[in-house]
Amino acid sequence: MNKSPSKMQHPDGHDGSELLPLSPLAPPLEEDPLVLVLQNEDGSDKTGERKNSEELQSLWRKAIHQQILLLRMEKENQKLEASRDELQSRKIKLDYDEVGTCQKDVINVWDKKLLNCRAKIRCDMEDIHSTLKEGVPKSRRGEIWQFLAVQHRVRHRLPNKQQPPDISYKELLKQLTAQQHAILVDLGRTFPTHPYFSAHLGAGQLSLFNLLKAYSLLDKEVGYCQGISFVAGVLLLHMSEEQAFEMLKFLMYDLGFRKQYRPDMMSLQIQMYQLSRLLHDYHRDLYNHLEENEISPSLYAAPWFLTLFASQFPLGFVARVFDIIFLQGTEVIFKVALSLLSSQETSIMGCESFENIVDFLKTTIPDMTQPQMEKIITQVFEMDISKQLHAYEVEYHVLQDELQENVNPCDEGEPLEKLERVNSHLKRQNMDLLEKLQVAHAKIQNLESSLETILTRENKMKTLIQTLEQEKITYQKTLEQMMKYLPAEALSDCELLLKEVNCNPNNKIKNKE
């Protein structure tokens, strides 16, 4: 270690002082401590002391340790900066007004439930329903959606034929999609005013492109449909890309939303018919008013269904709708649509022209106040239309089959009057079938209520029988105890009494058996 300063230089010509700018004993930077030590070593005649090799090694050790410490601090600073960027991005993503407030006790309940998410423990659905009704914290919404997806999959497993292909998100991103142009065109149309998606090819648009590209490659039948971009965008605002991809697969495959995006749009046609029937049965005046002005649900409700209300309604309202969708599935869209139309029935009835009604449905209805949105969400939680939706779907298929049987391809010269007669005949058949179906539904509901009453009585009778049997056993034991204290001449009378007690109808039945 006793070398001159010239021998301590690096091969590139720099001296050792450049290696130790951060020595723990550093005075001003122009006077490096190791150089001073080496100078003092050569100038021993001035100082009268010589640094030994152990002291030099100690200085080197300290310098190296401090350099390692500084490198670690630099890495930690980089992590801190990344964390700050993530927090800033998260803040931008969640830039929307919530519908309703979530109290602290409800947040605590959700925290406890989220502990069961990774363990995949089955939770009570009624408890989840009541908690979800109380509200969802915006900061934990993505985690809660994943928790609800786990709870659904624990109870309902898709058949193997309906499972999505087992390809990872990263593998899909390496491939090329034929839908690339359509996806790029729609990036700027998806939430154009939201700060996360507004920047052209910014972080939000790039994540959205990756997600839509991956799904188009995963689901070859559906590929890409315009409405999916809004659904994917809502997911990205609450979770990472890979998590959003998994939840998009859950919505499409597990909950069955992919049916409405198929190229034939058959499922969407059925949904429009179901919504029309709901209006016909529950809001007849509004239904007649829309029919008189030739306004079908496809004119105003198709975007609601294809984007899950995300393209026209406030994000806070949309997020709340997604909360319920993850719990209850596709029927939530019908509930929300029916509640929206019924809440504005008077105003819609006041619109007298086709243009005014369509404009009201597309612009005025989405522009709701906070109390109105909260009222809609409350109504959705309380509504149950699953049986009606199933009946309407069966009804649609029956009508389609009859239409194919009764209406054959006609010649070009066939009079229009014949087609009108067939059409009116089918309408009458349709109304007759609807009336019969409503009568059948009423009978089924009456039978179900009667069955519940009978089951309740049966349970009460079983409880009463068990109580009587326990009393009988208690009385027999008491009587046996009393017999121990009776004189011998009285035992014969007690035995006769016991025989009479045991000879009851139940025992006779058991003996026969």
Side-chain angles (χ1 to χ4, degrees):
M1 294 295 294
N2 296 329
K3 299 179 181 180
S4 65
S6 61
K7 293 182 180 180
M8 294 294 293
Q9 290 179 337
H10 283 278
D12 58 358
H14 296 287
D15 61 14
S17 63
E18 295 181 358
L19 294 174
L20 300 169
L22 298 172
S23 171
L25 304 176
L29 291 176
E30 63 273 7
E31 297 179 0
D32 187 64
L34 190 56
V35 176
L36 292 175
V37 169
L38 295 173
Q39 289 174 351
N40 289 337
E41 188 174 294
D42 287 341
S44 57
D45 54 342
K46 297 179 181 180
T47 60
E49 295 179 354
R50 183 181 295 275
K51 295 286 185 180
N52 56 32
S53 61
E54 293 181 358
E55 290 175 334
L56 290 173
Q57 289 177 1
S58 176
L59 283 172
W60 275 105
R61 212 173 281 119
K62 288 181 181 179
I64 291 170
H65 287 170
Q66 186 165 1
Q67 193 69 21
I68 292 172
L69 179 62
L70 289 171
L71 290 173
R72 288 179 180 174
M73 290 176 64
E74 186 177 354
K75 289 182 179 179
E76 292 299 323
N77 284 333
Q78 291 175 355
K79 290 181 181 179
L80 183 60
E81 288 296 325
S83 177
R84 287 174 181 170
D85 293 342
E86 185 179 351
L87 289 173
Q88 183 65 21
S89 174
R90 187 174 178 81
K91 184 179 179 182
I92 293 173
K93 284 183 174 183
L94 300 179
D95 184 20
Y96 63 82
D97 296 326
E98 288 192 272
V99 175
T101 56
C102 189
Q103 303 298 328
K104 287 186 178 180
D105 55 341
V106 179
I107 297 175
N108 293 333
V109 173
W110 279 121
D111 289 339
K112 293 179 181 177
K113 291 185 183 300
L114 290 176
L115 295 175
N116 299 327
C117 184
R118 293 181 180 177
K120 296 184 179 180
I121 299 174
R122 182 179 294 196
C123 299
D124 182 56
M125 292 308 294
E126 291 185 2
D127 184 37
I128 293 175
H129 182 276
S130 60
T131 308
L132 195 73
K133 189 176 180 180
E134 293 296 322
V136 171
K138 182 164 61 172
S139 59
R140 307 297 298 275
R141 179 162 268 130
E143 297 175 68
I144 291 171
W145 289 351
Q146 294 174 69
F147 164 76
L148 295 174
V150 169
Q151 292 301 311
H152 182 275
R153 284 172 172 165
V154 167
R155 291 168 171 80
H156 311 283
R157 179 169 177 78
L158 279 176
N160 291 331
K161 293 182 179 180
Q162 300 178 17
Q163 292 278 355
D166 187 15
I167 309 174
S168 69
Y169 182 67
K170 292 181 180 179
E171 287 297 321
L172 290 169
L173 290 182
K174 297 176 183 177
Q175 303 176 26
L176 297 175
T177 176
Q179 310 287 337
Q180 178 171 318
H181 177 71
I183 295 173
L184 287 171
V185 169
D186 284 342
L187 289 180
R189 302 173 182 172
T190 306
F191 300 115
T193 59
H194 193 280
Y196 185 64
F197 295 108
S198 59
H200 180 62
L201 297 181
Q205 289 194 7
L206 290 176
S207 294
L208 183 59
F209 175 80
N210 290 338
L211 182 54
L212 296 174
K213 169 190 171 181
Y215 186 81
S216 69
L217 291 166
L218 179 81
D219 190 349
K220 300 291 185 181
E221 182 184 10
V222 170
Y224 171 71
C225 183
Q226 197 170 21
I228 301 178
S229 62
F230 283 93
V231 179
V234 174
L235 296 174
L236 281 173
L237 292 177
H238 297 89
M239 58 190 75
S240 66
E241 276 185 41
E242 289 195 45
Q243 292 172 337
F245 179 68
E246 290 300 320
M247 290 301 98
L248 185 59
K249 285 199 300 183
F250 171 77
L251 290 173
M252 293 295 191
Y253 284 90
D254 293 76
L255 297 185
F257 279 99
R258 67 183 296 272
K259 295 177 184 177
Q260 68 183 24
Y261 298 106
R262 285 174 176 168
D264 59 4
M265 292 288 181
M266 179 60 70
S267 179
L268 185 63
Q269 293 177 28
I270 296 173
Q271 290 172 330
M272 296 299 100
Y273 177 79
Q274 289 170 309
L275 179 58
S276 179
R277 288 289 287 107
L278 286 170
L279 288 172
H280 177 273
D281 288 353
Y282 294 98
H283 303 281
R284 183 66 63 86
D285 293 338
L286 178 59
Y287 170 82
N288 292 334
H289 183 65
L290 294 174
E291 284 293 309
E292 288 171 2
N293 288 275
E294 299 181 349
I295 297 175
S296 63
S298 58
L299 286 175
Y300 59 89
W304 297 355
F305 281 72
L306 290 174
T307 67
L308 308 189
F309 300 93
S311 63
Q312 298 178 1
F313 289 81
L315 258 177
F317 178 77
V318 174
R320 205 72 180 97
V321 171
F322 269 65
D323 294 342
I324 316 174
I325 286 174
F326 274 93
L327 180 68
Q328 299 180 0
T330 54
E331 69 177 73
V332 174
I333 316 176
F334 295 96
K335 294 181 182 180
V336 176
L338 193 62
S339 297
L340 288 170
L341 294 170
S342 63
S343 65
Q344 299 288 341
E345 181 174 357
T346 305
S347 300
I348 297 172
M349 296 287 289
C351 299
E352 298 180 353
S353 66
F354 174 89
E355 292 78 9
N356 290 340
I357 296 174
V358 172
D359 182 65
F360 184 89
L361 293 171
K362 289 187 175 182
T363 59
T364 306
I365 284 185
D367 189 21
M368 293 182 290
T369 63
Q370 192 80 0
Q372 286 176 328
M373 289 188 283
E374 292 178 10
K375 184 179 178 181
I376 295 294
I377 296 300
T378 302
Q379 290 176 353
V380 170
F381 271 108
E382 296 172 352
M383 196 181 299
D384 184 12
I385 55 174
S386 55
K387 294 179 181 178
Q388 291 89 327
L389 291 175
H390 178 69
Y392 298 153
E393 184 176 358
V394 173
E395 178 183 295
Y396 177 86
H397 289 297
V398 170
L399 290 173
Q400 290 298 311
D401 292 340
E402 288 187 357
L403 185 63
Q404 290 178 359
E405 292 175 1
N406 295 333
V407 180
N408 296 320
C410 58
D411 299 331
E412 293 182 0
E414 188 174 6
L416 184 62
E417 294 180 359
K418 184 177 180 180
L419 293 177
E420 290 179 349
R421 286 197 302 271
V422 172
N423 188 26
S424 61
H425 175 68
L426 288 174
K427 284 185 176 180
R428 285 196 300 272
Q429 281 186 337
N430 186 15
M431 296 308 297
D432 292 339
L433 287 171
L434 295 179
E435 291 177 1
K436 290 179 181 178
L437 188 62
Q438 288 176 353
V439 172
H441 282 162
K443 288 182 179 179
I444 291 171
Q445 290 176 354
N446 291 332
L447 289 172
E448 287 178 348
S449 61
S450 300
L451 181 61
E452 290 179 359
T453 305
I454 292 170
L455 291 174
T456 304
R457 289 179 181 176
E458 183 183 359
N459 291 332
K460 289 182 179 179
M461 292 298 293
K462 286 181 179 179
T463 305
L464 181 60
I465 290 171
Q466 290 177 356
T467 305
L468 291 173
E469 287 179 350
Q470 290 176 356
E471 289 181 358
K472 173 191 166 184
I473 294 170
T474 304
Y475 290 148
Q476 285 180 342
K477 290 181 179 179
T478 304
L479 190 57
E480 289 173 359
Q481 292 291 330
M482 292 173 64
M483 286 172 60
K484 295 178 182 179
Y485 302 101
L486 290 175
E489 59 271 12
L491 287 176
S492 58
D493 296 336
C494 290
E495 289 176 356
L496 292 173
L497 180 60
L498 282 174
K499 288 180 180 180
E500 292 178 1
V501 171
N502 289 329
C503 292
N504 55 60
N506 290 333
N507 286 336
K508 288 179 182 179
I509 292 171
K510 290 179 182 178
N511 292 332
K512 287 179 182 179
E513 292 176 352

